[in-house]
Amino acid sequence: MADPLTDFVDTYRTLLDLEREAEAAEARRQRDELPGPELERRGVTLRRLLVADLRPGLGGRIVVVLERPDGEALPFHRFTPGDVVGLRTVRDDRPTDQEISGVIDAVHEKRIEVALEEDDQDELPSLVRLDRLSPDVTWRRMLRALDRLPGRDLGDARKVRDAAFADEPPAFGTRPTIEELGWLDERLDASQREAVAFALRADRLALIHGPPGTGKTTAVIEVIRQAVARGEKVLATAPSNIAVDNLVERLVAAGVRAVRVGHPARVLESVKQHSLDALVTAATDPSVARALKQDLQQARRAIDRAGSKAERREARGALKDLQREQRRLEDSIVRGVIDTAEVVLATLTGCDDRALRDAFFELVVLDEAAQALEPASWIALLKGRRAVLAGDHLQLAPTIRSMEAERQGLGRTMFARLAEQHGEAITRMLTVQYRMHTSIMQWSSDALYGGRLEADASVADHLLGGLAGVLETEETTTPALFLDTAGCGLDESEDAEDRSKSNPGEADLVAKHVMALREAGVAAEDIAVITPYNAQVQLLRERLSGELAHEGQAGLEVGTVDGFQGREKEAIVLSTVRSNPDGEVGFLKDARRMNVAVTRARRHVALIGDSATLCCDPFLAGLVEHLQTHGVYRSAWEFLGG
């Protein structure tokens, strides 16, 4: 009889291989099939960069400073701190196959700084091309977690694993009860308190289900603080850097001693002082650090001055000895910083960081768990004797590039699997939401959450007209609007290059509605326009270019639904795009995507689309009916002169 755990590991290894190859193939296709000038125009490549300087970084890293040979400002590009990149030698204006990988450390107007691993500096040419890469380390760490999962040497983490794969729901103790807990955050509502108490009673595993706007992270912070108050060491994690940094900010504000593990380039500026790198630097004797830095610089100069292969080999050996000394010093300080922290925080893949390889925790808390691939979740979960997962499997799951991997279930998260398998035996749902007007919330509540959500009194009736400086117009006193394009001839079209959909006529209607909100006094930064299709995003940005947010300047945001998950705005304008005689709705079929789209709005949501097409799908028909019944219905003919 097959072992379910062995089957799970074998299946997911195959799925990860499919996904990794799909991601790598797309990166290769762009880099190898498109000419360098086109890649540079798209902002994913920078050609002919000069290696202007090398300097030591923490952990034996080398930071290489790249500039234009003429010293001019860099052209438009999409490189940001934390991106994984490749440096390749340029000969005759063409890149060679030899490549060195690194991570963007900092971006300036005239230079980019890239952190390399300790051994790479010897291979650096003087002139390079910089390309964005898909990070292989993520896949290696997930595969390593899968390899460990069936093992017998997991310690107490073995019980978390067994609970996650058992047919029966995990066990829960009787203490603490809500009445016995002293609440550290007195503002928690009844459902949050019940979820926190439930999570703290878990012997091995518990889920906190947080629908949109219900204060899921607030409940997560209380779980962590309660565990710390009981003397437990906590590992707090999430799939994305921004979600982890949010936890850091809130824990530090609550007085918790927190350490953020991860590459400094990927950490928000506001939490860098709590990063492991910053804390290690602060704990290092300045005189020792200066002396070591000088020795490293002298060793590198000795390599440059070497007149023979033997001298160069000797100089490299001396440099490596100094780097090992640097690493030993840092390792000792790192252990001290980690040991004295109450909470250690990292992304899921960051939990396999060298600093945490041997660390173990009483509690692992995984926020945004419904957006995490299950193999990635196990990187963190194998480091604790108990685990609490928080998320919402009725919002968007992780993005999967391989259609075959998606079909076989790679996108089904551990949170979704356990919630569907064990229901309320393992889960507590938060039921009071603090974001949306009741009319916006009610559709989501009825369609997906069993009608259990209620709007807090602070948001139940709020409207755009209640914002300072906003006039009361039909648009600003309407929480939910459906602008119907049926019968107006506003058909969708398809982009020939990437097969994404757009709808020019609908884009014009979106622009008119946005301008009506702006004329009523709604600030551009309080509005977002979202759509499922990239081609429509580009079209909308052209139509609304004068209102868009720019670097260092607030303004209107235009983006995809998927890219807006976890965000909110006072007003959301949703362009659905699809309008065709076959009733094809494409991406809109995904109930989770539409749930995210509608629930980003606080005071006003306007859905613009073709009811004749949308109502061909039963779920979307329910949304249209809700908007027609509980919101305001308007035909596009009013705007088109029909």
Side-chain angles (χ1 to χ4, degrees):
M1 182 176 178
D3 174 23
L5 187 55
T6 301
D7 286 348
F8 174 88
V9 170
D10 291 344
T11 297
Y12 272 82
R13 285 188 68 87
T14 300
L15 297 183
L16 288 178
D17 285 344
L18 289 171
E19 180 66 2
R20 176 168 56 175
E21 178 52 34
E23 183 177 285
E26 176 58 22
R28 285 196 303 270
R29 186 194 69 79
Q30 283 204 11
R31 193 175 68 179
D32 297 337
E33 294 182 10
L34 296 176
E38 174 60 20
L39 290 171
E40 192 164 55
R41 187 187 69 79
R42 295 187 180 195
V44 297
T45 288
L46 284 171
R47 301 179 299 151
R48 299 185 61 77
L49 293 175
L50 184 69
V51 178
D53 193 18
L54 294 171
R55 57 180 176 80
L58 193 64
R61 302 184 189 99
I62 297 300
V63 176
V64 55
V65 180
L66 303 174
E67 298 177 349
R68 286 290 202 199
D70 56 13
E72 293 297 316
L74 298 172
F76 162 79
H77 62 81
R78 301 182 186 278
F79 292 100
T80 59
D83 286 350
V84 178
V85 295
L87 287 80
R88 292 198 283 174
T89 305
V90 175
R91 294 195 184 97
D92 300 324
D93 203 29
R94 295 179 62 83
T96 66
D97 292 334
Q98 187 176 10
E99 186 169 68
I100 300 170
S101 63
V103 175
I104 298 290
D105 192 64
V107 176
H108 306 278
E109 181 184 5
K110 293 186 176 183
R111 69 183 188 277
I112 285 183
E113 299 173 13
V114 180
L116 309 178
E117 294 306 315
E118 60 180 275
D119 292 329
D120 286 335
Q121 75 276 6
D122 295 339
E123 306 300 328
L124 270 177
S126 59
L127 198 64
V128 300
R129 165 172 146 169
L130 193 67
D131 294 292
R132 292 179 74 174
L133 301 179
S134 55
D136 191 59
V137 65
T138 300
W139 306 105
R140 292 200 306 269
R141 290 178 173 183
M142 284 193 285
L143 291 169
R144 187 153 55 225
L146 287 178
D147 288 342
R148 289 191 63 210
L149 197 55
R152 299 180 178 275
D153 59 342
L154 300 179
D156 281 350
R158 182 178 172 184
K159 297 178 181 178
V160 175
R161 177 203 65 190
D162 293 346
F165 287 97
D167 292 332
E168 299 298 320
F172 288 81
T174 57
R175 294 170 63 89
T177 65
I178 291 179
E179 293 73 24
E180 291 170 333
L181 279 171
W183 298 106
L184 300 170
D185 185 347
E186 294 289 347
R187 299 167 298 175
L188 296 177
D189 62 52
S191 70
Q192 289 172 326
R193 294 185 180 203
E194 168 57 26
V196 171
F198 180 75
L200 293 173
R201 288 197 298 270
D203 287 346
R204 296 298 165 195
L205 197 56
L207 308 184
I208 297 177
H209 182 191
T214 54
K216 169 182 59 62
T217 302
T218 298
V220 166
I221 295 295
E222 182 73 11
V223 169
I224 294 171
R225 293 178 66 194
Q226 290 284 350
V228 168
R230 299 195 311 198
E232 295 181 333
K233 185 94 170 204
V234 180
L235 174 63
T237 183
S240 69
N241 284 289
I242 191 68
V244 174
D245 289 344
N246 180 39
L247 291 174
V248 176
E249 288 180 329
R250 296 182 65 167
L251 286 168
V252 169
V256 176
R257 291 197 310 276
V259 175
R260 168 67 156 99
V261 176
H263 197 292
R266 296 190 175 101
V267 177
L268 285 178
E269 195 65 39
S270 58
V271 302
K272 279 191 175 179
Q273 62 182 312
H274 306 289
S275 70
L276 179 62
D277 288 55
L279 293 170
V280 168
T281 299
T284 303
D285 186 319
S287 61
V288 173
R290 278 196 303 271
L292 186 57
K293 181 178 179 180
Q294 289 172 356
D295 290 344
L296 286 166
Q297 289 173 336
Q298 289 174 1
R300 290 193 184 91
R301 284 196 290 269
I303 294 174
D304 294 336
R305 293 195 301 264
S308 66
K309 288 184 178 180
E311 289 177 353
R312 188 173 179 82
R313 186 165 54 249
E314 183 180 352
R316 284 179 177 174
L319 176 60
K320 290 183 184 300
D321 288 342
L322 286 169
Q323 288 172 333
R324 281 192 288 270
E325 181 183 341
Q326 181 188 30
R327 182 64 61 87
R328 282 194 297 269
L329 174 63
E330 288 174 357
D331 284 349
S332 175
I333 299 172
V334 163
R335 283 194 297 272
V337 171
I338 296 293
D339 289 346
T340 56
E342 294 173 323
V343 182
V344 177
L345 300 102
T347 61
L348 287 169
T349 54
C351 288
D352 196 35
D353 188 279
R354 186 167 174 268
L356 298 179
R357 287 278 167 86
D358 299 322
F360 198 77
F361 301 84
E362 280 80 19
L363 176 65
V364 177
V365 177
L366 170 48
D367 197 12
E368 304 296 355
Q371 294 179 46
L373 295 178
E374 180 153 1
S377 299
W378 282 111
I379 298 173
L381 297 179
L382 292 178
K383 292 184 174 294
R385 59 173 48 93
R386 293 188 300 114
V388 174
L389 280 62
D392 181 13
H393 55 301
L394 301 177
Q395 296 186 63
L396 284 167
T399 300
I400 307 298
R401 290 178 172 83
S402 166
M403 294 179 63
E404 182 60 22
E406 174 74 46
R407 186 186 67 78
Q408 293 189 41
L410 181 59
R412 188 175 188 232
T413 65
M414 181 178 176
F415 188 98
R417 177 172 69 82
L418 294 175
E420 292 163 6
Q421 182 180 0
H422 299 305
E424 292 194 359
I426 194 175
T427 310
R428 288 294 180 271
M429 188 174 90
L430 308 180
T431 57
V432 181
Q433 68 86 19
Y434 300 87
R435 176 186 299 163
M436 295 165 274
H437 187 287
T438 302
S439 295
I440 301 171
M441 174 205 74
Q442 201 59 56
W443 165 75
S444 177
S445 177
D446 293 342
L448 294 163
Y449 301 105
R452 295 174 61 189
L453 300 186
E454 59 180 285
D456 185 72
S458 62
V459 301
D461 299 313
H462 66 179
L463 296 165
L464 290 176
L467 293 171
V470 176
L471 302 175
E472 291 193 354
T473 65
E474 182 176 6
E475 288 81 10
T476 64
T477 56
T478 299
L481 167 69
F482 179 48
L483 185 52
D484 191 0
T485 66
C488 296
L490 305 184
D491 295 337
E492 66 188 60
S493 59
E494 184 173 273
D495 186 278
E497 185 174 334
D498 62 10
R499 302 183 65 83
S500 183
K501 306 291 184 183
S502 63
N503 191 318
E506 190 172 291
D508 291 337
L509 289 174
V510 169
K512 288 181 179 180
H513 185 66
V514 168
M515 296 316 298
L517 295 177
R518 293 286 291 120
E519 288 165 6
V522 181
E525 58 264 33
D526 287 335
I527 307 169
V529 177
I530 58 177
T531 178
Y533 293 95
N534 286 319
Q536 187 75 345
V537 168
Q538 297 306 315
L539 199 58
L540 289 164
R541 285 177 176 166
E542 293 171 9
R543 298 286 197 277
L544 295 161
S545 58
E547 299 290 330
L548 293 180
H550 299 286
E551 186 175 353
Q553 175 184 338
L556 175 75
E557 289 188 63
V558 178
T560 62
V561 174
D562 298 40
F564 221 76
Q565 179 154 287
R567 306 277 310 285
E568 63 180 51
K569 286 284 185 177
E570 300 293 351
I572 290 289
V573 183
L574 171 60
S575 174
T576 59
V577 177
R578 302 311 297 263
S579 179
N580 57 75
D582 301 320
E584 292 290 338
V585 296
F587 287 150
L588 305 179
K589 272 185 177 293
D590 190 337
R592 298 169 302 178
R593 180 168 283 107
M594 294 308 295
N595 184 30
V596 168
V598 172
T599 59
R600 302 309 91 198
R602 288 175 48 79
R603 300 168 186 260
H604 173 83
V605 63
L607 186 148
I608 301 177
D610 179 354
S611 62
T613 298
L614 297 178
C615 288
C616 290
D617 179 81
F619 181 77
L620 295 174
L623 173 58
V624 170
E625 182 180 356
H626 173 84
L627 292 172
Q628 290 175 331
T629 304
H630 300 285
V632 171
Y633 172 88
R634 297 175 70 179
S635 171
W637 281 113
E638 299 176 37
F639 297 88
L640 299 173

